[in-house]
Amino acid sequence: MRVIVAGSSGLIGTALVSSLRSDGHDVVRLVRRSPAGPDESRWDPQTDRLDTKILAEADGVVNLCGVGIGGQRWTGAYKQLIRDSRIAATDVLAEAVTEAGVPVFVNASAVGYYGDTGDRVVDEKSPSGTGFLADTCRDWEAAAAFADTATVRTVLLRSGIVLSPHGGILGRLTTLYSLGLGGRLGNGRQYLSWISLEDEVDAIKFVLTHEDVSGPVNLTGPAPVTNAQFSSTLARVLRRPAPWVVPGFALNVLVGEFAHEGLLAGQRAIPTVLEDAGFRFRHNTVGEALGAARVR
Ligand SMILES: NC(=O)c1ccc[n+]([C@@H]2O[C@H](COP(=O)([O-])OP(=O)(O)OC[C@H]3O[C@@H](n4cnc5c(N)ncnc54)[C@H](OP(=O)(O)O)[C@@H]3O)[C@@H](O)[C@H]2O)c1
């Protein structure tokens, strides 16, 4: 296959490009800087700049763009950037894949779509929730759905938290836990839908090639856990104590609005579409995923 990948320099994109290439696929990375070689093409989602010729021979486009949601305090300007970096890139690509008739468009989204689910189990048929992240995911998915025509199969990747020692939340937590500073956040009852980086990459490759899969797909391991369960499992894998409890009010003061939606709320999302389509997870429990991530 010839696959075009946007947002390819990030945690998921780096692993996906490497895996697609080692499977023998031809990958072109869309880059927001000068291209470093013939397998890169410059684009600028903010100014609608894209060399659409590269889409002519493409078998699929994967869009993983977006600034980190936990990277900075959620000021008005940063919230705007969270939205713009996702929705502008999706707008440009949705229009381009439709015009070029690319067979499949795979666009990132997140389980934040469901809002705070408490201990209610949600799958792809569940409605969207409330809050900034749910609103952003809804608008992000609507932008991708522009490409949802008879010719372009569109897949919306509702990812849970991707577990990898090389980045994302686990990269940061491992340092804290290794210092014995781990512990649960708030009452610890908020659910966390996680997926190992290997399963995330395999699932993206799976949806690229499975023509019966379209629309929203939860990229989450089969067994979401509470924050308290995640904390105790990570402590066990690292063989470190995790005695601390970070009170919700302290997180709200320290981190601001992100604490409320990103740390003290959560989703209990299960991967119904993937499992019904026959996808097999390598890591079925958070313990397996953390063990495989070789967090030490
Ligand atoms: N990691 C997770 O746990 C997780 C969970 C749920 C959903 N997701 C979603 O999955 C996607 C990929 O996640 P990731 O963890 O790989 O993210 P990441 O490591 O933060 O990488 C995201 C990529 O987005 C591109 N980007 C950054 N700022 C941008 C901007 N202002 N405009 C356009 N593109 C920009 C960059 O790629 P280039 O420099 O190559 O353009 C960057 O490498 C994101 O949309 C994220 O929201 C991730």
Side-chain angles (χ1 to χ4, degrees), residues 7-13 29-30 32 43 45-46 64-68 81 85-86 89 108-110 140 159-162:
S8 66
S9 67
L11 177 70
I12 302 168
R29 302 173 59 204
L30 293 183
R32 294 173 299 134
W43 78 315
Q46 298 303 327
L64 299 168
C65 285
V67 295
L81 185 61
S85 60
R86 288 168 171 76
S109 179
W140 194 8
S159 289
I161 290 172
V162 178

Side-chain angles (χ1 to χ4, degrees), residues 107-121:
N107 203 69
S109 179
V111 291
Y113 173 89
Y114 301 109
D116 183 8
T117 67
D119 61 4
R120 184 171 48 94
V121 173

Side-chain angles (χ1 to χ4, degrees), residues 61-85:
V61 171
V62 181
N63 173 25
L64 299 168
C65 285
V67 295
I69 61 160
Q72 282 183 38
R73 206 175 175 85
W74 280 8
T75 59
Y78 198 66
K79 282 166 78 172
Q80 195 60 49
L81 185 61
I82 289 174
R83 287 180 60 84
D84 289 350
S85 60

